[in-house]
Structures are given as C-alpha cells and as structure tokens.
Amino acid sequence: KFGRVLRIAGMLRLDIAAALLSESAQLLCRLGTIFLSIMWAAHILSCVWFFVGAQAQISDTGATWFDGAAIEVHGQSLELLQTGASYQHSVSLHWAISQISLGTIDIMPRNTAERLVFTIATTMGFVFGSMLISIMSAGMIDFRMNKKDKVTKIRTLRRYLEENKANRCIARAVLEQITQRLSIQDKLEERDVSALSLLSRTLLSQLRFDISKGCFQGHPLFRLWLDLDATSMHRICDEAAAVQYLRAKDELFDAGAAATAAYVVSQGKFSYKELTIFDQRPSQGSQASLMVASEVGASAWVSEAALWVEWT
C-alpha cells in the first residue's frame, strides 16, 4: 500500500510539474530528482556497509574493511573508528557511490559477510545505474525532440510570413502568439487519447458521464433531471455533450452568429460580448450598435437559449 501511495504521489507531482513548469524546468526537475535518488540510495547503502564493517564478531577471518581504511597521520596510523563521524560517513558514502556508478574503489571486503554485501551491492549498482542512465537519456532525447519540433514550426512560420510579405506588425503578433502557445502544453481531449477506443461502450459512457455531470449539476433543470432520470442524463452526456478547451485570446463564437450549442464554463473565465442594435433616429431610419462586454466565470451558462429555440 505504501508503494501505491508513493506512485500516486509521483504521478501527482508529474502532473503539477507539467502544468506549471516549462519543458526546460521539467527536465531540470527530473535531473534533480534522479540526483537526489542516487544520493538517497548511496546513503542507505553506506549505512549498511558501515554496519557490516562494525560487526567484527561475525568476521570469519578476524578482519574487517575498517582495517584497510586506516590512514597515516604524522607517521602514526589512525584507525577509522578513531576519526570523526563525518569522515566515517564520507568514506562509506564514497564506497557506496562507487558501487552505484561502477567506479574505482580503494576499500575491499575482508570477510565472507562483507564480500556477500559487496557482491549484492555491485549487482544492484549495475541495475540501478543502468536504469538511471536510461531515464536520463530518455528525458534528454524527449526534450531535444520537442525543442526541435518547436524550432521547425517557428522556422516554417517565419518562411511563410516572409514569402507572403505579411505586414510587419501582424507578423510580429503572429510570431509572439505562436511562440507563447508552443510553450504551453495543451490539454488532452478525448480524440487525443487513442487508448479510450479500447474501452467498452458502457464504460466509455460512464467515463463521459463522470466528466460532464459536474457541469450539469450547476443548472437547476439538469440537476433535477439527474435526480429523476439518471439514465437519460447518461445518454445526454454520451451523445450530446463535449469538452472544448480554449487558449488565451481564442474566440468561442462570433457576435451575431447563429447559436448551435449552449456552453457552460468548467474552468477559467472569458469575456462575453453582446452586440445590441437600436434605432438612433427612428424618423430617419438610422441605426446604431453597442458592444457590451461582461466577464463569465466558472459554472456560468452561455447561449442557453440555443437549447430551446433558434437563437443568435
């Protein structure tokens, strides 16, 4: 159960990092996590190695690796146990990191128990080190591929704007918006997740209902409908409801256009502009228009009249 909790916590951290950090920052966080994992594993291994060396009574040769770790100071031999705790830990940590990285070491086992620990540590170091290198390599390759894809898109866009002699102000605005949007990871829609096609019709319908029902519960009519006939609401969520994600400065619909659907805001907010046309001088038949903007937030319904009538 504890392992499951750690995996869930790791997934949550990855989701938060993907939502809040750039790709470069995510790569740095991943490398930092790998470094901390190496140091944590090396610390545990160094504690085990020091503990085994301190158990002189289990040595079948009468010697331990402590004997080979003595240093000479001013012509006199200084035993490891006579040194400070920081030096003892640094010696054990050096040995542990060398085992993980398969580097050179100057301390060798001197009894059967130490050789057994040494053999296990070498095997674990080989597996653990290979796994960490694979993770780092995969992260670097993924980062370089994404970076290359973005650079290619920007280069192609610049070429398109130059070949078509676009106005400089418009071209600059286009480049800024595209660059800004390429730096943000888009949210996934159902059509982007190919694995959902493997679900049964019933389970997929339940998933759509679970995702959409929160929006319908904010409307009095649909909330009552959910209580009276949940099966019909399942069909509505499955066949008539869809999720649409908008980026900053995107238009959901144009003023004066025929409404084909009603919308409910699940997250964020947007500006709703209402175009009002009125007679300025009725005797002369002249008209004027007024654009009124209002802010629409979460749980608000927009173009609700489109559910019942033809409406613009």
Side-chain angles (χ1 to χ4, degrees), residues 83-103:
T83 62
S86 60
Y87 181 77
Q88 295 174 9
H89 181 264
S90 64
V91 172
S92 301
L93 187 64
H94 180 199
W95 176 87
I97 292 178
S98 298
Q99 290 296 109
I100 293 175
S101 61
L102 301 181

Side-chain angles (χ1 to χ4, degrees), residues 9 12 18 34-35 64 66-67 70 97 112 132 173 180-181 195 214 234 238 244 257 263 271 278 298 301:
L12 291 176
I34 292 175
F35 175 77
T64 67
F66 283 5
D67 301 329
I97 292 178
T112 302
L132 291 178
Q180 188 268 339
R181 292 189 174 188
H234 265 278
D238 187 29
Q244 185 175 354
Y263 303 93
S271 177
F278 57 90
W301 283 76

Side-chain angles (χ1 to χ4, degrees), residues 185-310:
Q185 188 175 25
D186 292 334
K187 288 190 175 182
L188 293 175
E189 298 185 28
E190 183 178 321
R191 62 174 179 269
D192 300 323
V193 186
S194 58
L196 292 178
S197 62
L198 302 176
L199 287 178
S200 64
R201 181 67 182 175
T202 302
L203 188 55
L204 181 60
S205 176
Q206 292 176 354
L207 176 62
R208 289 171 177 169
F209 175 73
D210 183 69
I211 293 174
S212 304
K213 69 178 181 180
C215 298
F216 287 103
Q217 286 175 340
H219 193 285
L221 174 61
F222 291 113
R223 183 167 60 248
L224 177 62
W225 201 339
L226 276 167
D227 295 334
L228 296 178
D229 190 358
T231 303
S232 297
M233 285 303 302
H234 265 278
R235 290 191 58 189
I236 290 177
C237 294
D238 187 29
E239 301 175 6
V243 179
Q244 185 175 354
Y245 296 106
L246 300 178
R247 303 183 182 93
K249 298 183 180 180
D250 273 351
E251 294 83 15
L252 182 59
F253 50 79
D254 296 324
T260 58
Y263 303 93
V264 57
V265 184
S266 60
Q267 294 179 2
K269 58 185 179 181
F270 70 93
S271 177
Y272 179 80
K273 296 180 180 180
E274 184 178 2
L275 180 62
T276 303
I277 301 176
F278 57 90
D279 294 332
Q280 189 176 22
R281 295 179 180 177
S283 59
Q284 299 179 5
S286 62
Q287 292 181 331
S289 60
L290 177 65
M291 186 73 72
V292 180
S294 57
E295 188 176 276
V296 181
S299 301
W301 283 76
V302 181
S303 303
E304 183 185 348
L307 293 174
W308 329 112
V309 296
E310 294 184 0

